[in-house]
Amino acid sequence: MEPSGYPTAQVAPEPYDSFMRCHLRYYGYFRGQKTGGKQSPVSPRGHSECHRAEAPGLGSAGPGCRQRLGKEPSPRAPPVPCGEAGSPPAPPAAPRALLPGRSGGCGFPGEPRALFALPSARGPLPAPRWPIECEVIKEAIEHIEWVPPEPEPFCQPSSHEQAPAGSSEEQGTVVYHLSPVPPGSCFTRARARGAPGPLSSPAAALEGPQDTTLLFESRFESGNLQKAVKVGPYEYVLTLRPDLYTAKHTQWFYFRVQNTRRDAAYRFTIANLAKPKSLYGEGMRPLLYSQRDAHSRGVGWRRVGAEVRYYRRGGGEEPAAFCLSWSMRFPHDGDTCYLAHSYPYTYSDLQRYLRALVGDPVRSRYCAVRALCRSLAGNTVYLLTITGPAGGAGKRVVVLSARVHPGETGGSWAMRGFLDFVLSAAPDAQLLRQLFVFKVVPMLNPDGVVVGNSRCSLAGRDPNRAYGMGCRGSFPAVWHLRAMVERLLAEREVVLYCDFHGHSRKNNVFMYGCDGGRAGAAPRFLERVFPLMLSKNAPDKFSFPSCKFKVQKSKEGTGRVVMWRMGVTNSYTMEAAFGGSTLGGRNSHFTVEDLKSLGYHLCDTLLDFCDPDPAKFQQCLAEVDTLLRRRLGSGGSWNDVPTSDLESSTSGSDSSVSEGPPAQPGSSRGREERGTGEEVLVPVCHPGWLEPRRRKRLRSRRARNALHRPNTVHQSPAGAPVPPWSLRPRGQPRVPNTRGGGRGVLEEPEQPRGAVPCRPIPVTAGRGSRGRGAAAGDARLQGDTRAAGPARATATAAATAGSSRGTDVALPTPGAAAGGRGGWPGPASPRCYACARH
């Protein structure tokens, strides 16, 4: 039988050729064009190639790579008409993400092309890819954003050791049970929508309308609940699923309940938590989302729970297990509700946000959405490059990342607030885009986010301990991020690196930095200036006394320590508590807006930190010296004071203990199933590569501290320390991924020939010289966080206007009269602010 729409004289196409044509055209590789009633294919090298998006199953490739699926159409096989019977409808073409300052069209010749499925302004989002062992329901879970009108206070904490009275789990009835992953297994392959075939029924069926048993479900994106046992009429004992391919890390929970009763008092007990201390023991409460309230009243996530207890489980088992118990009431009968540890932010939420960003004609002018790499499961790790329309030549770089630990969702909300502000039309946002190039990785561990892990990736290990391993096969996102920073350090100055995290044991927001015990007082305080400024800009959220700067041996593989050793002086981990704030007279939980405001405060602090007027920096430096001397209670030389004595406590985030090798025994490669049903090999490191090298123990503290000196501290002739952003790293090795090496690290293109060179920026654009002098800056540091608003807006508008008119106003040169600090812009001779590097 001849295909529909073809002339009768032509021969029917072969089945394989017809299938391949439909498949390739579905992903936009070539289109059908009618010419005289016939269809003629367009070559993949034609115009349509510039607008296509790669199929989700393609592997990673470098910027210069030109991958093709299949081969050229056979001359015997006529093309299948687009939209006719027997062929799937082609999705709308995905517009390409543009580089800052560029307009639409096919771009410049040789421009790196996105060989990944980037979010499109139209059409469906790429489906997340799951390990083959995971079952996934078809319902799409999406929640509304809502801010409670009143603060949500902490509840009265109960005794940590007081277990609530109730029935034991052994006497109950299992009402929900997911089959666990076999012990000792590891990731082998992945596919969209998880395990193939019909879904199982882990929930017990209701016996009738009068049955009050809750119906549990967690087989959706970021969900985590393995077992539910009914031990009373309205009492349940819950068991969380450990991180996939491990036996530990049970903290994050997120599940759905149905068949609720409004007048009943329910009690839930999670019986297998791993951490001995939690904010639940200090008044933190879980989160509830009612689908009926969201549709009828626009109410989203809210804090619920009474009699919240966090205690050690009895029985003396090892390792010790801890329980979280709380009582609550549901708002409606027969409602669909969700319970969660923190405000969920899924991989699909990120894709929806990036799709709106790409489709915005204004914001997409100065934000390029690219793919940093692919995860083990094949999910795209997105990289955002944000800068002004003038391009990135000569600008300093700020690198930000989030969600390396998938259960710490507050990092994604803080990143969301940062992106909302830096991409806005606010004067400070415009100034930031003029001065810096932002490299942002909003979700480093998409696989862990998709499956609902707490800390680990599909390699079964904590990615935030793998920055120093250099294992590309098991931790691709970490490897590519480090390679990108190495390449940036060889070409530019990286003024700041910050990784967004969440904390489960301490309230408020704080930072972890790096102090290697370098000689001298002021050089050791440079890392403390940025957190102190941030605490002054967010006094009701950020706690500077909670910040820690000691480099512990267990943290040497974290992002902040590795970036610091590479030459990024200001390298931090920002921790936002799962609970809330106890500062500024408030004792309440964080809301989504509180977390998003951290992104704005980070931008505000970055401008203060890089202010050409050194008054703020010097004042903060003196204040840090006073605070630490008050803590020590004695004077003397700082050369003899170890870093541990400068801090009241050195406890940081929980160290991650891996659960064996991430690869199959005896194999260095796993298998991955692409969206087309094809299985390809996925490189996974050999187990021996991941074992930390044993180092010879050093005998003295001075010898140990010598390892934490990545570069020499420079001082001006007057003896004052040079600001950290003027220290250019020396001897940084170039990344072994050349432009033709196919590593997939996409970078900002160099300024083309004939481009207008950067002009000197007016001194009035600086935050320290906006007509208000040092007095206004000091007033802000003393608590008036809004003192510089109008002046900053006026100065930014003047800077922007002067730049657009081509007016060259002199910027002070380093080492001038203002402060007399070597490397710091002074108030005199002309110099380009973006190019002033030493």
Side-chain angles (χ1 to χ4, degrees), residues 526 614 617-618 621 716 718 720-725 813-826:
L526 294 180
F617 189 90
Q618 290 175 345
L621 206 61
S716 66
V722 176
W725 52 89
T813 55
R821 301 168 51 131
W824 201 297

Side-chain angles (χ1 to χ4, degrees), residues 696-713:
K696 184 178 179 181
R697 180 172 297 180
L698 302 177
R699 298 181 179 179
S700 65
R701 177 174 294 166
R702 177 175 299 177
R704 291 195 303 269
N705 291 339
L707 296 176
H708 306 318
R709 303 175 185 174
N711 48 5
T712 307
V713 179

Side-chain angles (χ1 to χ4, degrees), residues 3 7-13 76-78:
T8 56
Q10 292 193 1
V11 182
R76 296 186 304 155

Side-chain angles (χ1 to χ4, degrees), residues 342-400:
S342 181
Y343 299 101
Y345 194 95
T346 65
Y347 182 64
S348 295
D349 291 334
L350 174 65
Q351 288 184 312
R352 281 188 286 267
Y353 181 82
L354 296 182
R355 178 173 63 177
L357 177 60
V358 171
D360 190 335
V362 177
R363 294 187 297 173
S364 61
R365 292 176 52 203
Y366 36 82
C367 178
V369 180
R370 291 288 185 265
L372 179 68
C373 64
R374 285 266 185 182
S375 64
L376 287 181
N379 293 306
T380 303
V381 181
Y382 296 102
L383 170 66
L384 280 62
T385 302
I386 303 172
T387 189
K395 295 183 180 180
R396 293 170 294 175
V397 182
V398 175
V399 181
L400 304 177

Side-chain angles (χ1 to χ4, degrees), residues 202-254:
L206 298 178
E207 298 179 356
Q210 303 301 323
D211 193 348
T212 60
T213 302
L214 291 177
L215 300 177
F216 292 85
E217 184 58 84
S218 64
R219 295 174 297 173
F220 49 84
E221 193 174 350
S222 296
N224 190 319
L225 178 67
Q226 183 169 317
K227 185 179 178 181
V229 180
K230 185 177 182 180
V231 297
Y234 301 102
E235 185 175 354
Y236 297 86
V237 176
L238 310 178
T239 302
L240 304 183
R241 175 187 55 77
D243 283 2
L244 215 58
Y245 310 118
T246 73
K248 296 184 179 180
H249 312 302
T250 50
Q251 173 180 295
W252 167 258
F253 63 88
Y254 176 33

